[in-house]
Amino acid sequence: MSRFHEIKHRVATTFQRQVGNPLLRRLPNQPVLETTGRKSGVPRQTPVGGRRVGREFWIVSEFGEKSQYVRNIQADPRVRLRLEGQWHTGTAHLLPDDDPRARLKALPRLNSAAVRAIGTQLLTIRVDLDD
């Protein structure tokens, strides 16, 4: 990763962790992905942008395997997802062979634009919902 991308990643994740995520988690209609901390075992909640299609929920991570929630999924793919105020259980799958730029075209526009602008290592994630 270039120095520019490293700085971009550090600035974006610091902002998300300290400002964006705490605010977005409180919005009732904001999708929130809950993973289990790979070191702590504690639930970790991350606001995400994506779209439900049937029993699947699609996300594109802007920093791929550098994202903490992606690392948590690698350690334990069982997740919970808050959609429209209700929690659902499911299993997350990392899809490195999927075209994340094409996938973003089918996801909410505002979030997709932000992911394209900030992202350095896009990675598609599919959550198969149990219910």
Side-chain angles (χ1 to χ4, degrees), residues 33-46:
L33 179 69
E34 184 178 86
T35 60
T36 301
R38 64 193 176 284
K39 295 178 183 177
S40 68
V42 174
R44 302 294 184 187
Q45 294 183 350
T46 305

Side-chain angles (χ1 to χ4, degrees), residues 47-126:
V48 293
R51 175 164 283 140
R52 184 175 186 165
V53 179
R55 295 183 60 181
E56 300 172 338
F57 189 82
W58 292 86
I59 306 165
V60 174
S61 168
E62 62 262 60
F63 299 115
E65 293 183 11
K66 287 196 73 162
S67 295
Q68 298 301 316
Y69 74 91
V70 171
R71 292 169 142 182
N72 290 342
I73 289 169
Q74 288 173 319
D76 181 0
R78 294 296 301 160
V79 300
R80 288 193 333 145
L81 188 64
R82 187 182 76 192
L83 298 172
E84 298 178 12
Q86 296 203 359
W87 286 98
H88 305 268
T89 58
T91 304
H93 303 276
L94 306 180
L95 304 173
D97 294 330
D98 190 69
D99 180 351
R101 292 200 179 277
R103 181 70 56 194
L104 284 170
K105 292 177 183 174
L107 300 181
R109 280 188 185 167
L110 183 60
N111 180 74
S112 293
V115 169
R116 275 192 295 276
I118 296 169
T120 57
Q121 296 178 332
L122 305 183
L123 175 66
T124 302
I125 301 165
R126 184 188 76 233

